[in-house]
C-alpha cells in the first residue's frame, strides 16, 4: 500500500519530518488496509450493486470518527464521509465496482473464482482501500496537530461505465470542496498530466412486429434487422471519423428464437474521443445510424443515455505537487500522455 501514498504526501503544508513520520505510521498499519482491499476484491460487486464494499468502507470510516452521509444523490451505494471543520476542504475519491465476467483467482493464468462471475479488472479493490487509508491518516495528523481543515472521503460507485460521479456532482455534494484527489492503479508510480477519452454510452432499443419466421415472415418487422442495419452503418462510419475515435458495442438482446421474427432487440454502445465537442458530433452521427436502421426495417427505435463524461482536464499545479512528494515514496515523474 505504500506506493499509494501520493494522496497523503500531496498536502503541501507537511514538512519533511512530518512526512517521514506519517509514512512510517502508515507502514505499520498497511496490513489492515491490505485486508480491506482483499475483501473488496473478493466481494467483486458490479456498479450500483456494491453493497458490501460500500458498507465495509463506511464501517472503517465510522470507526475513524468520520461522519457519514448515506444514499448520496439517491444512490444506495454512494456516500460521503467527513471529519474536521473549516478550510481547506480536501477530498479523496474512492471507487469499488467490478466488471462482469472477470472473476479471477490471484494467479497469473486465467482461473475464475466463480465461472462467469464479476471481478476487479483494473484494481478498483485498491482504489477505495488506499483512498480510505490516506483519508484516515490525514485525519489523524490533523487531529494530532490540532489544525483546522476538513477531510472528506467520497464513495463513488459505478465508475466502470455507470457514471456514478455525474449524479453526485448534479446533487451538489462537491460544491464546498477545495481540492479533490483521485488516482488509478498502473504499472508505474507518478503524477499525471494525461487526459482521458471523453465517453458517451447508450442503449439503443428497437421494437418490431413478431411473426412466424417460416410460415408468415412477410407479416413481421424484425427489431434485429433494425439493430443490424445500425451496426453495419457504424462499421462503415469508422472510415470517416478521426483515428482517435473509439466505438465499441455489444448486442444485449437479439431475439428469443430463430423461427420467431424478433419484436425486440437492444444494442449497448460506448463512443469515445479525446475531445468532448468532437465526440458530440460523432454521437449525432451514431444516432442517425440508429434512426436509419429503424427507418429501413420499419421498426421503432428508442435510446436510453447511460453516461456522458468529459475528458479529464489535467491540473498542472496539483500534478507538480504530487510529483514532488511522491519521490519520497518510490515514485516520481510527471507523465504527459
Amino acid at each position: 500500500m505504500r506506493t499509494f501514498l501520493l494522496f497523503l504526501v500531496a498536502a503541501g503544508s507537511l514538512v519533511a519530518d512530518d512526512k517521514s513520520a506519517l509514512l512510517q505510521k502508515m507502514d505499520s498499519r498497511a496490513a489492515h488496509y491490505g485486508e480491506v482491499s482483499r475483501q473488496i476484491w473478493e466481494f467483486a460487486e458490479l456498479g450500483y450493486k456494491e453493497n458490501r464494499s460500500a458498507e465495509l468502507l463506511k464501517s472503517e470510516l465510522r470507526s475513524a470518527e468520520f461522519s457519514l452521509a448515506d444514499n448520496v444523490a439517491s444512490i444506495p451505494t454512494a456516500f460521503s464521509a467527513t471529519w474536521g471543520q473549516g478550510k481547506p476542504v480536501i477530498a479523496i475519491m474512492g471507487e469499488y465496482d467490478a466488471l462482469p465476467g472477470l472473476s479471477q483467482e490471484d494467479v497469473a493464468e486465467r482461473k475464475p473464482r466463480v465461472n462467469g462471475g464479476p471481478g476487479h479488472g483494473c484494481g478498483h479493490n485498491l482504489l477505495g482501500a488506499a483512498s480510505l487509508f490516506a483519508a484516515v491518516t490525514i485525519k489523524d495528523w490533523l487531529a494530532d496537530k490540532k489544525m483546522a481543515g476538513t477531510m472528506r472521503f467520497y464513495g463513488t460507485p459505478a465508475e466502470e461505465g455507470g457514471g456514478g460521479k455525474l449524479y453526485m456532482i448534479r446533487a451538489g455534494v462537491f460544491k464546498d470542496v477545495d481540492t479533490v484527489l483521485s488516482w488509478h492503479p498502473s504499472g508505474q508510480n507518478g503524477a499525471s498530466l494525461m487526459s482521458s477519452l471523453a465517453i458517451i454510452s447508450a442503449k439503443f432499443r428497437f421494437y418490431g412486429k413478431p411473426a412466424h419466421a417460416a410460415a408468415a415472415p412477410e407479416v413481421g418487422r424484425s427489431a434485429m434487422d433494425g439493430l443490424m442495419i445500425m451496426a453495419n452503418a457504424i462499421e462503415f462510419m469508422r472510415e470517416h471519423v478521426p483515428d482517435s475515435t473509439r466505438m465499441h458495442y455489444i448486442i444485449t438482446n437479439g431475439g428469443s428464437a430463430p423461427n420467431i421474427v424478433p419484436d425486440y432487440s437492444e444494442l449497448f454502445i460506448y463512443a469515445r474521443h479525446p475531445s468532448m465537442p468532437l465526440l458530440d458530433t460523432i454521437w449525432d452521427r451514431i444516432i442517425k445510424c440508429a434512426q436509419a436502421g429503424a427507418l429501413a426495417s420499419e421498426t421503432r427505435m428508442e435510446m436510453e443515455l447511460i453516461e456522458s463524461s468529459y475528458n479529464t482536464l489535467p491540473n498542472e499545479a496539483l500534478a507538480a505537487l504530487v510529483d514532488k512528494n511522491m519521490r519520497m515514496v518510490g515514485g516520481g515523474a510527471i507523465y504527459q500522455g
Side-chain angles (χ1 to χ4, degrees):
M1 302 292 284
R2 202 170 190 271
T3 57
F4 307 138
L5 306 188
L6 69 156
F7 300 114
L8 169 66
V9 297
S13 60
L14 275 67
V15 299
D17 288 346
D18 284 335
K19 293 174 183 178
S20 296
L22 284 170
L23 293 173
Q24 291 175 11
K25 183 177 182 180
M26 292 188 83
D27 282 344
S28 70
R29 301 164 70 185
H32 171 73
Y33 291 95
E35 180 57 30
V36 172
S37 170
R38 176 72 188 203
Q39 288 183 64
I40 293 174
W41 184 78
E42 292 183 353
F43 291 156
E45 297 168 298
L46 297 175
Y48 295 122
K49 299 179 181 179
E50 316 98 331
N51 297 295
R52 290 183 294 173
S53 300
E55 286 302 322
L56 175 60
L57 293 171
K58 288 192 287 186
S59 175
E60 291 285 330
L61 288 158
R62 286 193 191 96
S63 296
E65 301 178 338
F66 282 72
S67 60
L68 273 289
D70 294 318
N71 203 42
V72 170
S74 301
I75 303 172
T77 55
F79 66 92
S80 66
T82 303
W83 184 92
Q85 58 185 352
K87 292 286 188 175
V89 179
I90 298 175
I92 299 177
M93 295 285 195
E95 296 161 1
Y96 31 82
D97 61 329
L99 282 165
L102 292 187
S103 177
Q104 175 66 19
E105 296 283 0
D106 53 348
V107 293
E109 68 273 6
R110 184 76 173 103
K111 187 178 180 183
R113 297 178 70 244
V114 178
N115 286 328
H120 288 282
C122 56
H124 282 205
N125 59 301
L126 301 171
L127 282 168
S131 296
L132 163 72
F133 194 2
V136 171
T137 306
I138 296 170
K139 167 260 175 181
D140 289 344
W141 181 80
L142 290 171
D144 289 343
K145 298 293 183 180
K146 296 181 172 57
M147 291 186 65
T150 302
M151 187 69 235
R152 186 171 297 152
F153 179 102
Y154 284 104
T156 54
E159 192 276 343
E160 298 276 23
K165 296 183 190 68
L166 301 179
Y167 299 101
M168 297 173 73
I169 291 168
R170 289 173 185 169
V173 300
F174 295 95
K175 284 184 177 179
D176 64 336
V177 177
D178 295 295
T179 298
V180 180
L181 295 167
S182 64
W183 73 287
H184 199 285
S186 177
Q188 56 197 8
N189 294 324
S192 176
L193 285 175
M194 296 173 64
S195 184
S196 62
L197 297 178
I199 181 173
I200 302 176
S201 66
K203 293 180 178 180
F204 288 87
R205 301 183 177 104
F206 292 83
Y207 299 87
K209 181 180 179 182
H212 195 292
E218 72 282 0
V219 177
R221 295 294 181 267
S222 173
M224 187 62 176
D225 286 352
L227 182 153
M228 293 183 68
I229 293 168
M230 173 190 177
N232 276 285
I234 289 171
E235 297 307 320
F236 288 124
M237 196 176 94
R238 291 187 192 277
E239 183 182 358
H240 308 289
V241 294
D243 288 344
S244 51
T245 306
R246 301 289 182 267
M247 298 180 291
H248 35 114
Y249 56 83
I250 59 172
I251 297 172
T252 51
N253 192 309
S256 55
N259 63 332
I260 303 172
V261 174
D263 63 345
Y264 175 75
S265 66
E266 181 184 86
L267 181 144
F268 189 6
I269 185 170
Y270 288 13
R272 309 180 196 250
H273 190 273
S275 166
M276 178 57 91
L278 274 175
L279 180 58
D280 283 335
T281 66
I282 294 165
W283 189 255
D284 287 342
R285 296 168 66 191
I286 290 173
I287 292 175
K288 289 178 181 177
C289 291
Q291 292 170 337
L295 179 64
S297 61
E298 294 187 316
T299 58
R300 178 173 59 87
M301 182 273 293
E302 293 179 353
M303 183 191 78
E304 179 189 359
L305 185 67
I306 302 299
E307 181 179 4
S308 179
S309 297
Y310 219 90
N311 45 295
T312 300
L313 303 179
N315 186 312
E316 293 188 15
L318 277 179
L321 181 59
V322 169
D323 171 68
K324 174 184 174 182
N325 286 282
M326 278 202 73
R327 295 175 189 274
M328 293 185 63
V329 295
I334 297 180
Y335 301 104
Q336 302 290 334

